[in-house]
Amino acid sequence: MYILCDTCSVLMLIRIAPDMFRDDRYGCVTIQEVFQEFFRTQKFKTKYPWRTKYKSKIKALIKSKVETGDFNLYLEAIRNIIETGKINGRTKKFFSLSYVDQQIAACSIAHGFKLTTVDDDLNDFIIQEFSGKTISPLGIVNDWIKKGLIKWDDDLQSVLEDWDKCNEHPQPKKEIKRFEKLSGYTYAGPK
């Protein structure tokens, strides 16, 4: 099963595994809208000036690959759910998904991709409305360590420290414990 990465997840993971989109062993994909958001959004330009170094590493799925199967059907259903106002069972507030979030959700569901996102509303939407599967960025890192795709060291540890300095989203406690067991390092990222 492939893992579909949203923009914030790409920002968190690309420095840990620069080949995550080019080497099938990592099992990661993303869409053109995420690629465009990654490089065109002002807040990302300001907060992550290093991201341009990774432009050649991000290989997004081509549109014709994304829009196969039931993609458009799911996209229309998602738009209708958002427009009519569906309540998030966890927050008791209306779901609010951006255009890019709707594209990500439709792609994830239509193609059976597990989604990695730090956007709680998008995560909840995928699970509550479509029984989709999600995984945290740290969960992915743990899987990479377990598979031997990355060897944790001080340089990678500094990337986690940067997650904390950049006020990235907290990671699940169970994944923090798993990380410490697998890596032998104390988790230095956002809790």
Side-chain angles (χ1 to χ4, degrees), residues 52-177:
T52 55
K53 179 175 145 183
Y54 296 94
K55 191 170 190 172
S56 66
K57 299 286 187 180
I58 301 174
K59 180 182 170 190
L61 295 170
I62 59 173
K63 198 170 185 87
S64 62
K65 196 95 157 152
V66 171
E67 293 182 357
T68 60
D70 291 334
F71 172 81
N72 287 317
L73 181 68
Y74 281 111
L75 184 58
E76 186 63 29
I78 289 164
R79 286 184 179 146
N80 288 336
I81 291 168
I82 298 303
E83 284 177 15
T84 57
K86 183 75 173 191
I87 301 286
N88 181 331
R90 183 182 58 82
T91 65
K92 307 299 184 226
K93 296 179 181 174
F94 287 107
F95 280 112
S96 175
L97 301 182
S98 70
Y99 167 78
V100 174
D101 289 345
Q102 291 176 35
Q103 295 278 321
I104 291 167
C107 184
S108 174
I109 300 305
H111 298 291
F113 296 153
K114 189 181 279 190
L115 176 65
T116 183
T117 183
V118 292
D119 180 326
D120 291 335
D121 212 35
L122 177 56
N123 188 73
D124 291 344
F125 185 82
I126 289 290
I127 293 168
Q128 292 174 29
E129 297 304 307
F130 293 97
S131 301
K133 303 225 181 294
T134 63
I135 185 171
S136 68
L138 188 59
I140 292 172
V141 168
N142 288 336
D143 289 350
W144 291 343
I145 293 170
K146 189 174 181 180
K147 291 177 185 174
L149 295 173
I150 58 173
K151 173 116 175 78
W152 205 257
D153 59 21
D154 292 341
D155 290 335
L156 294 179
Q157 185 71 1
S158 70
V159 173
L160 276 189
E161 292 168 1
D162 198 44
W163 286 9
D164 197 35
K165 290 176 193 164
C166 289
N167 290 326
E168 295 298 353
H169 296 276
Q171 298 299 294
K173 289 181 183 10
K174 70 176 184 167
E175 293 297 350
I176 291 171
K177 288 178 185 176

Side-chain angles (χ1 to χ4, degrees), residues 170-188:
Q171 298 299 294
K173 289 181 183 10
K174 70 176 184 167
E175 293 297 350
I176 291 171
K177 288 178 185 176
R178 187 172 164 231
F179 168 80
E180 291 177 342
K181 185 176 179 182
L182 288 168
S183 72
Y185 280 75
T186 300
Y187 178 72

